[in-house]
Amino acid sequence: AHKNNLVEQHIQDVVVHYNFNKILMLQEPLLVVGAFYILFFTVIIYVRLDFSITKDPAAEARMKVACITEQILTLVNKRLGLYRHFDEAVNKYKQSRDISTLNSGKKTLETEHKSLTNEIASLQSKLKAEGSDMCDKVGEIQKLDVQVKEAVLKSAFEAERLVAGKLKKDSYIESEKGLSSKRQELVSKIDNILDAL
């Protein structure tokens, strides 16, 4: 086809209108989302399934020991947190000179510490039943914790003596410095053992 007299003035813009069904507009994105959902769901199920025919008792024992060790870590950290809360109670007591604050903090420390220590001891016996060598490390943590608790209670006793006027401030500061360094040393030993677990 050959055209004559074509000039720029005859050029017109072409406007095209499309009418799409709104539901069909969503079809393709929903198919992609659905495909990814099915893929991820399939992978999750596949990872969870155990296709082994025989059970591996060594792997199960390791998993039990790992679970018990994780519980022990949590409980030891809670117990160390108790000491920090008790230190806050001692500091409030030194500021307010209210003995009830100190006594309630001491009572809370004693009851919660006893329950946490009993839980750790029961987990330690479970470790022993599993035949794990972690049992000795947990026993060492328990012994170190007894020393930490003694240092914390001695620090509170020294604060009581200071507030009552039976101890001079200089000797209290020196005593507190020694107790604090001993306590930090014990806590770092506990942390090192926990890291080794």
Side-chain angles (χ1 to χ4, degrees), residues 48-166:
R48 295 279 179 169
L49 292 178
D50 184 14
F51 291 111
S52 62
I53 296 173
T54 61
K55 292 191 177 205
D56 185 11
E60 285 185 25
R62 281 194 303 272
M63 285 176 27
K64 283 182 185 177
V65 167
C67 180
I68 293 170
T69 304
E70 190 66 35
Q71 290 173 336
I72 288 172
L73 288 173
T74 304
L75 293 174
V76 168
N77 286 328
K78 278 184 187 176
R79 196 164 58 181
L80 292 174
L82 283 177
Y83 297 135
R84 286 189 287 276
H85 288 298
F86 185 64
D87 285 342
E88 292 171 9
V90 169
N91 288 334
K92 285 180 186 174
Y93 166 68
K94 287 192 287 188
Q95 291 172 356
S96 67
R97 298 179 182 263
D98 182 17
I99 193 74
S100 65
T101 305
L102 183 66
N103 288 337
S104 69
K106 197 180 288 187
K107 186 176 181 181
T108 303
L109 174 72
E110 291 291 339
T111 55
E112 291 187 27
H113 183 274
K114 186 176 182 179
S115 70
L116 290 173
T117 302
N118 289 339
E119 286 181 54
I120 292 172
S122 70
L123 290 173
Q124 183 181 7
S125 65
K126 286 182 183 178
L127 278 177
K128 196 174 219 175
E130 291 294 327
S132 173
D133 60 338
M134 304 278 187
C135 180
D136 298 332
K137 292 180 180 179
V138 174
E140 193 174 334
I141 289 173
Q142 294 283 66
K143 289 176 186 172
L144 289 172
D145 182 71
V146 169
Q147 295 175 13
V148 172
K149 184 179 176 189
E150 287 174 2
V152 168
L153 291 177
K154 187 168 185 182
S155 175
F157 177 71
E158 295 292 323
E160 272 186 89
R161 288 182 57 204
L162 173 73
V163 170
K166 296 177 182 175

